[in-house]
Amino acid sequence: MHFRVVLRILGQLLMLYSVTMLPPVAVSVYYGDGQAPAFVEAFGIILAVGLIAWIPARSDRRELRLRDGFLIAAVFWLGLGTFSAAPLLLAATPQMEVVDAFFEAVSGLTTTGSTVLLGLDTLPKSILYYRAQLHWLGGIGIIVLAVAILPMLSVGGMQLYRAETPGPMKDSKLTPRITETAKALWLIYVGLTVLCVLSYWYAGMSLFDAVCHSFSTVATGGFANYDASIAWFNSPLIEAIAIVFMILGGISFTLHFVAWRSRGLRTYWRDPECRAFLLILIAVTLAGTAFLAASAHYPTVGESARHAAFHFVSFMTTTGFTASGFDQWPGALPLTLILVSFIGGCAGSTSGGMKVV
């Protein structure tokens, strides 16, 4: 185990991560919510710790081994959860205990989407943005982003990529260089996010809400800007957009890359995992619609289909957005939602769960 190499790279990753504290500063200044000092202080703390870790080991240029990559991935995620809690602890609003701040930060980075915060409707804009940003950064893996950048700092990235990426396709390079592979995955991720932002904005969300909810949707995280989640908007169009991008987030980004390169949609159906993922979603949605319609839980079949589709997609992709009181659904439907969340999305996606594969 090359501990000095691990320490050097962890220091570089922390210094890189400290930069992510700056966008919330801009949001705070723009909206005048008074939270900017908390993010500036967090930036300084993370940068300083990164420097302290990097300076003693900066001259060690040995190549990473696979076990080093696993250690870096594990320690870095644990460190990120700790340091990401800093601005939540330092902010004047909300006033959070250490455990609560750590919980919220880890929930954001792991795209779990559970929250300890109440009164989201009145939280400062910068805090709402920061929560969504945690989802977005954690969605496809910060380390995959680092792989695209660290070679500029003379750090090999293949071991980090293997340690971070789930599923059977992680040893398959999409491009000849692993750096280009990481960049390609992130370009697709950014492209889907931009499309989602524009779609939400067109559907009636404010630009701020569109950005925050797009971060949560594509990352299949589920943090929302309102206590009522997506139900706050009461819009079938917004729910339909969310369904599309939650499904896209639940499909392997490797598959997105192959489909984009081949310029065809048949790639998705030819992939057995993606095909199974879509068939399961269709089956449970149809069954849920039939059950809701038969029990007259909603006034029309259309309403039953709308709510069944949204919630089964939200749960199976482990996003966690809600649009109605699904806990009041009849029979075993609420339990079925939980069971499909165990399955999760496809390997190599932003979704959680065991993965369809």
Side-chain angles (χ1 to χ4, degrees):
M1 189 72 73
H2 298 153
F3 288 107
R4 285 176 61 84
V5 176
V6 170
L7 191 65
R8 174 172 64 88
I9 295 173
L10 285 172
Q12 289 175 316
L13 288 170
L14 281 176
M15 289 188 287
L16 178 66
Y17 184 66
S18 68
V19 179
T20 66
M21 297 295 125
L22 300 181
V25 173
V27 173
S28 179
V29 170
Y30 181 80
Y31 287 102
D33 63 14
Q35 305 302 314
F39 292 101
V40 172
E41 290 173 31
F43 165 75
I45 292 170
I46 299 171
L47 180 62
V49 173
L51 281 169
I52 291 170
W54 172 74
I55 289 174
R58 66 187 183 279
S59 59
D60 195 324
R61 297 290 171 179
R62 285 176 293 178
E63 190 170 338
L64 274 180
R65 295 184 295 182
L66 183 58
R67 66 177 65 181
D68 299 326
F70 279 117
L71 180 60
I72 290 171
V75 175
F76 186 50
W77 277 111
L78 181 61
L80 282 192
T82 303
F83 288 111
S84 296
L88 298 175
L89 281 171
L90 296 168
T93 304
Q95 295 183 346
M96 303 185 72
E97 300 292 333
V98 174
V99 173
D100 289 343
F102 184 70
F103 179 94
E104 196 76 13
V106 172
S107 179
L109 281 171
T110 56
T111 69
T112 304
S114 299
T115 182
V116 295
L117 292 173
L118 296 174
L120 298 176
D121 307 47
T122 58
L123 277 183
K125 297 284 190 184
S126 57
I127 298 295
L128 292 173
Y129 170 81
Y130 179 63
R131 294 167 75 246
Q133 179 182 276
L134 287 174
H135 268 345
W136 193 74
L137 290 173
I140 203 169
I142 298 173
I143 294 179
V144 177
L145 172 62
V147 168
I149 296 174
L150 285 180
M152 296 183 233
L153 307 173
S154 302
V155 176
M158 188 63 197
Q159 309 310 334
L160 284 179
Y161 178 76
R162 284 177 175 167
E164 169 63 15
T165 308
M169 300 183 73
K170 64 181 178 183
D171 291 321
S172 303
K173 293 184 180 180
L174 306 180
T175 61
R177 293 172 58 85
I178 193 63
T179 305
E180 298 303 318
T181 297
K183 287 180 180 177
L185 292 174
W186 265 86
L187 283 174
I188 293 169
Y189 192 54
V190 171
L192 287 178
T193 304
V194 170
L195 286 174
C196 191
V197 169
L198 295 175
S199 300
Y200 275 148
W201 195 18
Y202 172 80
M205 283 190 184
S206 68
L207 183 59
F208 178 80
D209 281 342
V211 169
C212 291
H213 286 86
S214 294
F215 283 1
S216 294
T217 304
V218 177
T220 61
F223 276 166
N225 290 352
Y226 306 96
D227 288 332
S229 190
I230 294 294
W232 190 88
F233 298 100
N234 191 28
S235 169
L237 179 57
I238 287 175
E239 291 167 23
I241 292 168
I243 287 172
V244 170
F245 284 96
M246 285 189 291
I247 290 175
L248 290 174
I251 294 173
S252 170
F253 278 75
T254 301
L255 201 57
H256 289 321
F257 178 84
V258 174
W260 174 78
R261 190 171 56 182
S262 64
R263 301 290 193 274
L265 297 178
R266 291 182 180 179
T267 302
Y268 293 108
W269 193 249
R270 288 173 182 164
D271 180 77
E273 184 187 25
C274 182
R275 186 167 63 246
F277 171 65
L278 296 174
L279 288 174
I280 293 170
L281 274 179
I282 291 170
V284 293
T285 298
L286 290 175
T289 300
F291 205 97
L292 288 171
S295 62
H297 188 77
Y298 294 104
T300 65
V301 175
E303 282 286 296
S304 298
R306 167 189 167 186
H307 291 286
F310 181 85
H311 285 94
F312 275 110
V313 170
S314 179
F315 272 71
M316 186 161 177
T317 58
T318 69
T319 307
F321 283 144
T322 57
S324 65
F326 65 87
D327 56 313
Q328 302 300 317
W329 283 3
L333 281 184
L335 177 61
T336 309
L337 288 172
I338 295 172
L339 291 177
V340 296
S341 71
F342 272 84
I343 299 173
C346 299
S349 71
T350 61
S351 293
M354 291 175 62
K355 305 296 189 296
V356 173
V357 72

